[in-house]
């Protein structure tokens, strides 16, 4: 014991960097049927620019000694405020022609968590999830109640018309026109899971992990459908001991697979690395269920994981002294 | 390989019982501060009678070759229809003086699942969760949307006044009167988590496991608060490979601990028995977070688990050729 402690002490004196806490940030802007041939160069450029902005803005907070929560909030807010992603401003339309958004956040140091589901007027749903976590005894709030809480907290409330974008409305119209035909069902299948949810996982200087996810859900959704994004353990999970995870994809399968927590459980109980655990969950367990999508995550050492079984996932990461790396398609 | 198959064949011929599937049913009617001195003999008798009725009715379905889903539905319906339990007819009141109920179900053979949250007019919320699972592509529906789906499915809809019970309304009034005082906060703490949620887990002749949970949530809840009962992985989980679980308690902690799935993950990944896994999750992990409550469950062989860290839990089980066993307090 003494000898081992001495060796560790010597190592840390002569090689201090290996014991310093790495900071890291990983984000996604949705997974789905994202083919190179369907994404024009100019649109691809817009996605890359916005992902870059989200990464750099969140990372600067971490570099300045800010918290993982602040970095996750910043990165997600930038994607929520962009019409490119299915969250906040770019949220898809429900069958009723409204926008109903979900979001969640989890703090890996306390295992505290917050979530909102089915909110229609909160400009940045992730901010409401953060306030549920920090300023209420609850974890999950839904619908009008969640909006009343957000108003009480002084969060930015917008008219429902703020969430109208022509592109998303056209997607709803296309799906509605075609939903009664066989060809239409194939079209819906191809388009529904495209350009999804946004999420971020950050590790700060204190070694604290936070994961967050925000979404507009599924185009043409009915009956107050809620997917995995506001479900702790399914769409979002964070635990300083293991990992932080944010998911994107066909939410029903992620709920049934308890995907985000399953990655953590595999790491904790079987010793798999974050990449091994995520690949097992996404490429084997989720795929066997028939689920399509992906996850991003960090482990306690700041190792980055991005795993998906869809055709593409808007994603990127930045690590200590590293340059931001952005990806869209399978590489 | 051939030799092993032969041995198994011989074993099954000479000892057929060891390969027969045991059927089993375990139920709960809520956990919390349930002290012997606070429960009159006559009230205790009413609880025991109703738990007995739920157990026997569900078990008869299993004996007749019915499915786990039918048995779980029957047992939960009986408790939902009784004013004794915080589900259906006996649901507690929200701060706004309404009743908002949640329920979920999971099928361990398919990992299919269904849930409703924040419903106000569905007589038996578990039936809506079952229909979400069986007749929709979704897992979770909330609020008015979930009710529209239930109506479309032809489920029994009742006027909100059906859920009015004097006892629950008085509990709301008592809490509201006292919530602004320190003494009141202690009172609320003692009373809020009493007489909770109902749930059932069944294993049928085919070896199929189903778990379900139904609740009125937390007295005086605000802001569309949703607890663990409709969250797959937190309040309900089932997987034929491992176990079926239904939880009851302070839901926020069960969500943060991903309690129901964690028991399954510990069994699958570390080889713990259902009792060992549940005791670790309830008495160590949940208790460390500060969470109070309990779980019931069955493993694939029909072993019964009932674990709680509260003062009591209304609970009972019945196994092949066994008599129903009912418990309320710590034994």
């Amino acid at each position: 014991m003494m000898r081992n402690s001495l060796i560790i002490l010597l190592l840390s004196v002569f090689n201090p960097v290996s014991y310093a806490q790495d900071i890291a940030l990983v984000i996604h802007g949705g997974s789905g049927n994202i083919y190179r041939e369907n994404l024009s160069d100019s649109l691809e450029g817009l996605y890359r620019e916005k992902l870059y902005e989200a990464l750099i803005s969140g990372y600067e907070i971490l570099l300045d000694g800010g918290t993982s929560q602040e970095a996750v909030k910043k990165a997600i807010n930038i994607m929520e405020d962009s019409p490119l992603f299915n969250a906040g401003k770019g949220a898809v339309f429900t069958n009723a022609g409204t926008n109903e958004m979900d979001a969640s956040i989890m703090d890996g140091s306390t295992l505290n968590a917050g979530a909102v589901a089915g909110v229609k007027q909160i400009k940045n749903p992730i901010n409401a999830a953060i306030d549920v976590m920090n300023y209420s005894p609850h974890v999950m709030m839904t619908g009008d109640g969640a909006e009343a809480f957000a108003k009480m907290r002084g969060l930015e409330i917008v008219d429902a018309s703020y969430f109208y974008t022509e592109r998303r409305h056209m997607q709803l119209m296309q799906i509605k026109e075609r939903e009664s035909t066989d060809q239409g069902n194939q079209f819906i299948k191809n388009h529904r899971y495209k350009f999804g949810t946004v999420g971020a996982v950050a590790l700060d200087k204190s070694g604290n992990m936070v994961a967050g996810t925000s979404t507009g859900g599924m185009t043409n959704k009915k009956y107050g459908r809620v997917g995995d994004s506001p479900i702790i353990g399914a769409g979002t999970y964070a635990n300083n001991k293991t990992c932080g995870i944010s998911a994107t994809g066909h939410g029903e399968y992620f709920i049934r697979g308890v995907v985000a927590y399953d990655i953590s459980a595999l790491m904790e109980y079987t010793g798999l690395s974050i990449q091994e655990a995520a690949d097992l969950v996404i490429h084997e367990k989720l795929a066997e269920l028939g689920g399509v999508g992906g996850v991003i995550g960090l482990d306690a050492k700041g190792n980055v994981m991005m795993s998906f079984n869809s055709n593409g996932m808007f994603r990127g990461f930045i690590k200590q002294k590293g340059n931001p790396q952005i990806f869209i398609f399978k590489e």
Side-chain angles (χ1 to χ4, degrees), chain A:
Chain A
M1 290 284 278
M2 287 288 289
R3 199 174 132 196
N4 283 344
S5 301
L6 186 66
I7 290 171
I8 288 169
L9 179 70
L10 286 172
L11 278 171
S12 64
V13 167
F14 291 107
N15 189 10
V17 174
S18 71
Y19 287 86
Q21 180 61 54
D22 278 354
I23 59 174
L25 178 65
V26 57
I27 64 172
H28 69 77
S31 68
N33 285 313
I34 308 163
Y35 295 102
R36 209 177 285 268
E37 54 268 34
N38 291 344
L39 198 65
S40 68
D41 286 352
S42 59
L43 192 54
E44 180 182 337
L46 290 175
Y47 275 106
R48 287 186 180 275
E49 272 171 37
K50 194 51 76 175
L51 290 167
Y52 186 89
E53 182 190 341
L55 264 182
I56 291 292
S57 306
Y59 189 64
E60 275 171 0
I61 289 172
L62 295 175
L63 270 184
D64 290 348
T67 65
S68 292
Q69 182 189 298
E70 292 166 326
V72 163
K73 180 181 175 181
K74 185 73 183 177
I76 290 182
N77 282 172
I78 286 170
M79 292 187 281
E80 283 178 332
D81 292 344
S82 161
L84 290 171
F85 305 98
N86 176 18
K89 177 68 186 162
V92 298
F93 282 84
T94 68
N95 178 268
T98 59
N99 308 93
E100 294 183 8
M101 293 157 286
D102 313 318
S104 68
I105 189 132
M106 188 161 184
D107 181 327
S109 65
T110 57
L111 303 186
N112 209 344
V116 292
V119 297
K120 298 178 182 177
Q121 295 192 72
I122 300 170
K123 180 166 178 266
N124 294 102
I126 193 70
N127 299 5
I130 290 171
D131 277 11
V132 170
M133 174 169 79
N134 294 336
Y135 302 104
S136 92
H138 301 314
V139 169
M140 190 173 194
M141 296 183 183
T142 58
D144 295 343
E147 297 199 326
F149 175 78
K151 280 175 199 164
M152 187 269 288
R153 286 288 316 153
L155 295 184
E156 192 169 350
I157 304 295
V158 292
D159 189 84
S161 64
Y162 166 81
F163 298 103
Y164 178 89
T165 57
E166 199 179 330
R167 172 175 169 236
R168 296 301 190 193
H169 198 254
M170 199 178 297
Q171 287 173 352
L172 175 67
M173 294 298 110
Q174 285 176 326
I175 285 183
K176 283 194 156 187
E177 264 171 35
R178 298 177 198 207
E179 67 183 339
S180 54
T181 68
D182 278 352
Q183 273 188 312
N185 286 332
Q186 193 52 46
F187 174 89
I188 291 165
K189 214 173 159 188
N190 288 343
H191 280 69
R192 188 173 263 178
Y193 311 122
K194 198 172 160 183
F195 310 140
T197 303
V198 308
V201 182
L203 182 66
D204 62 27
K205 279 185 178 160
S206 314
N208 187 30
M209 187 95 72
V210 168
T213 310
S214 182
T215 192
M218 193 180 271
T219 300
N220 200 31
K221 66 185 176 184
K222 295 178 194 174
Y223 304 128
R225 177 262 185 190
V226 169
D228 64 314
S229 298
I231 308 293
I232 299 302
T236 301
Y237 187 74
N239 188 330
N240 283 4
K241 283 203 301 187
T242 51
C243 61
I245 303 287
S246 171
T248 160
H250 191 164
E252 278 70 12
Y253 295 92
F254 284 71
I255 296 177
R256 293 165 57 198
V258 200
V259 161
Y261 180 67
D262 200 21
I263 294 168
S264 173
L266 278 164
M267 291 174 68
E268 184 174 356
Y269 301 144
T270 76
L272 289 187
S273 72
I274 189 170
Q275 190 69 51
E276 290 166 340
D279 286 347
L280 174 59
V281 169
I282 297 299
H283 293 289
E284 296 184 34
K285 297 178 81 169
L286 185 73
E288 267 170 39
L289 278 181
V292 176
V295 286
I296 56 162
L298 298 173
D299 70 13
K301 292 178 182 162
N303 290 310
V304 173
M305 175 281 294
M306 305 186 295
S307 183
F308 57 99
N309 67 9
S310 49
N311 291 302
M313 178 165 77
F314 296 109
R315 63 201 187 278
F317 69 88
I318 184 165
K319 293 179 70 172
Q320 194 103 20
K321 291 173 195 159
N323 292 318
Q325 307 279 317
I326 309 240
F327 308 90
I328 297 177
F329 313 104
K330 282 185 186 167
E331 301 301 315

